[in-house]
Amino acid sequence: MQWRYAKDWCASVSIRSSLILVNLIAFIIVFVLFMKAEPILRIQSLGHLLFSSSWHPLKGQFGFLSFIVGTLEVTAIAMVLSIPVSLLSAIYLSEYAHKYFKGLVRLMLDILAGIPSVIYGLCGVIAIVPFVHSLGGFFGNPTTGYSLLAGGIILAIMVTPVIISVSMEVLAAIPDEARTSSLALGTTRWETVRYVVLKGSLRGIIAAIVLGFSRAFGETIAVLMVVGNVAKIPTSLFDPAYPLPALIANNYGEMMSIPLYDSALLFAALVLLVLVGAFGLVANITLSRLTKKGYYFS
Amino acid sequence: MPHISLRNLTITYGDLEVLKGVTADIPDRQVTTIIGPSGCGKTTLLKSLNRLLDLNEDARLYGEILMDGINTYGQNTDILALRKTVGFLSQRPYPLPMSIYDNVAFGPRIHKLSRYEILNQIASVEKHGLLAQCSVENLFQMDMKKKNVEMDILVECYLRLSGLWDEVKDRLHGSAAQLSVGQQQRLALARTLAVGPEVILADEPTSALDPLSSQLIERQIKILKNLYTIVVVTHILRQARRIADHVIFLYMGELVEDGPADQFFDSPKDDRTRAYIKGTIS
């Protein structure tokens, strides 16, 4: 009997401590980044770091605005391209497609989601960069093709399978009674999808989009390979950009002899982390607001 | 009023023959119960009546279902109109993800019923004196210039007709998901009635409910049969005895016996019916 109590005690201690460990790591990361970024914060004001776009490390000028703008814009392009296609595909698969076809596509989506990002990057260089190059020529906007748009397209391609498969699960969780109840009133399939299925799964769909967004936000290699990496605020879709993850990956470990460079890069990492965190927080608050306001979610 | 006849109806799922050549009539403005052991094809038969069976990709149907003499599985059938005429109540109620009010108003809004159509529909319900204590005159004295007042009247009318009004009148714009399961089933009934059907199909409507809620549903069914043709699938023999005017008994996909309830229960003709009523087969 005592032995069983002991085992029970062990189990609760170990599950609790694993959770604490996982959360502790997150805190340690934030703490270390902050400590390392602290020297540059002591010398330059936060406002200057965030809102100046002059990036001349040799002169000691570290303005991150162009990188922050680049990150946000690349992600925004990716989401604009990806969300409509992903949602419509998920609706088709969940509500219209035959079950065998659904199984086949699910398999393909899993494979797509599992492709290493460097391969997406290569495909981007081989296919998307020339495509954007000729697109730019077509619109009278000479470009190398290594641009904001190329980065956005490659990110959209990467994020789409994730959003589709999560949304598909979400839609599948709506019970069949919902569809039957609505169709039995004489509604069309689309009316049922729109007013009953989508409305009932709004929460989950937002969660799927947030997941895709976070993935796009932090994606490094594939973007770095096609986005051009020029530290200037892009003025058009065909201009090169330089997102934060690419900046860090390209430069950390090199040119470390420049004073404060190391600290500046870690500050960039901190900014990236805070942005992702803030976005997650906003999404969460929005979700709980929706839940409070509406009875939409059963 | 549609007169429903099944003519040599056979339904298969792949290789499995669920219904085998069923021929029967469903009388108007009566409660017809379809009884039989589980897996005998009751629900399949019910779902074929408003073509909800179409949702099942594997199902194949042979034979005819005639409604006013027209085959509903013919090529020119307007499925949406058919489903509007033949309402359906599922086993487990599912409140649509919206308020109680919007649940009832959903169908009429989708079908874009005009004020005239809505008021006409309500007047035909009132004609049968079913809106006890509701007094449509009172309703019609509401400010008719107010926007969407006809929808307010409709929601109240059908919530009364499904016996839910008194419980929800103070929280019409609250969540439908927060109602108890029994209340949700009556809400589903109100939702079904609101599009103005002539036939109501109910698939074991009380099987998910507690005894008291079941009783309420049975009571509403008995009231509503004055206005609608009602078909109820049930596996509870006592329930069939309580509510049925007409009985269809299925066994292993075959129609064993059908006829008026008194005759069916008091002097069954078939041995299998006798055995089922006695409880020796199930």
Side-chain angles (χ1 to χ4, degrees), chain B residues 90-93 181-182 185 203-211 213-214:
Chain B
S90 61
Q91 210 173 80
R92 290 196 61 85
V181 183
Q185 189 62 291
D203 184 8
E204 305 195 2
T206 63
S207 68
L209 309 186
D210 59 277
S213 303
S214 306

Side-chain angles (χ1 to χ4, degrees), chain A residues 55-135:
Chain A
W55 176 258
H56 300 291
L58 284 170
K59 294 186 208 157
Q61 293 175 350
F62 297 100
F64 283 100
L65 187 64
S66 50
F67 302 101
I68 295 171
V69 170
T71 308
L72 293 174
E73 285 187 347
V74 148
T75 311
I77 293 169
M79 296 320 276
V80 166
L81 292 176
S82 160
I83 290 173
V85 178
S86 309
L87 287 189
L88 291 175
S89 310
I91 291 171
Y92 175 75
L93 288 169
S94 143
E95 306 298 316
Y96 292 79
H98 195 278
K99 58 188 174 204
Y100 299 118
F101 182 68
K102 209 191 296 188
L104 195 72
V105 173
R106 198 182 292 239
L107 189 71
M108 271 178 49
L109 287 173
D110 285 345
I111 294 172
L112 278 178
I115 292 179
S117 50
V118 67
I119 295 180
Y120 278 110
L122 279 177
C123 296
V125 173
I126 294 167
I128 293 169
V129 168
F131 168 71
V132 173
H133 172 72
S134 44
L135 201 69

Side-chain angles (χ1 to χ4, degrees), chain B residues 62-82:
Chain B
Y62 310 91
E64 288 180 327
I65 297 175
L66 302 174
M67 210 163 276
D68 289 331
I70 298 162
N71 184 10
T72 57
Y73 278 82
Q75 284 185 337
N76 300 323
T77 310
D78 177 353
I79 297 185
L80 302 186
L82 173 72

Side-chain angles (χ1 to χ4, degrees), chain A residues 51-276:
Chain A
F51 299 113
S52 154
S53 61
S54 119
W55 176 258
H56 300 291
L58 284 170
K59 294 186 208 157
Q61 293 175 350
F62 297 100
F64 283 100
L65 187 64
S66 50
F67 302 101
I68 295 171
V69 170
T71 308
L72 293 174
E73 285 187 347
V74 148
T75 311
I77 293 169
M79 296 320 276
V80 166
L81 292 176
S82 160
I83 290 173
V85 178
S86 309
L87 287 189
L88 291 175
S89 310
I91 291 171
Y92 175 75
L93 288 169
S94 143
E95 306 298 316
Y96 292 79
H98 195 278
K99 58 188 174 204
Y100 299 118
F101 182 68
K102 209 191 296 188
L104 195 72
V105 173
R106 198 182 292 239
L107 189 71
M108 271 178 49
L109 287 173
D110 285 345
I111 294 172
L112 278 178
I115 292 179
S117 50
V118 67
I119 295 180
Y120 278 110
L122 279 177
C123 296
V125 173
I126 294 167
I128 293 169
V129 168
F131 168 71
V132 173
H133 172 72
S134 44
L135 201 69
F138 181 74
F139 284 108
N141 237 331
T143 169
T144 56
Y146 290 94
S147 60
L148 201 57
L149 184 61
I153 293 175
I154 202 74
L155 269 186
I157 294 173
M158 293 178 69
V159 160
T160 300
V162 177
I163 302 185
I164 294 181
S165 38
V166 177
S167 320
M168 232 169 104
E169 298 302 323
V170 168
L171 293 175
I174 298 284
D176 271 340
E177 277 90 355
R179 298 175 183 93
T180 325
S181 304
S182 167
L183 288 171
L185 295 173
T187 61
T188 61
R189 236 168 173 184
W190 171 243
E191 284 159 350
T192 296
V193 167
R194 183 161 166 223
Y195 296 111
V196 178
V197 178
L198 277 186
K199 213 170 165 189
S201 55
L202 190 60
R203 250 183 92 88
I205 294 210
I206 292 178
I209 291 173
V210 170
L211 196 72
F213 185 94
S214 314
R215 170 115 203 250
F217 212 79
E219 175 51 42
T220 312
I221 289 295
V223 180
L224 178 154
M225 290 168 80
V226 301
V227 84
N229 303 331
V230 175
K232 228 181 80 190
I233 295 182
T235 52
S236 93
L237 285 176
F238 299 105
D239 281 356
Y242 209 165
L244 285 168
L247 170 76
I248 300 166
N250 266 341
N251 296 311
Y252 195 78
E254 290 173 30
M255 300 195 284
M256 295 306 244
S257 53
I258 301 171
L260 287 177
Y261 201 78
D262 164 53
S263 179
L265 288 182
L266 284 156
F267 176 74
L270 191 64
V271 170
L272 190 66
L273 197 68
V274 169
L275 280 176
V276 174

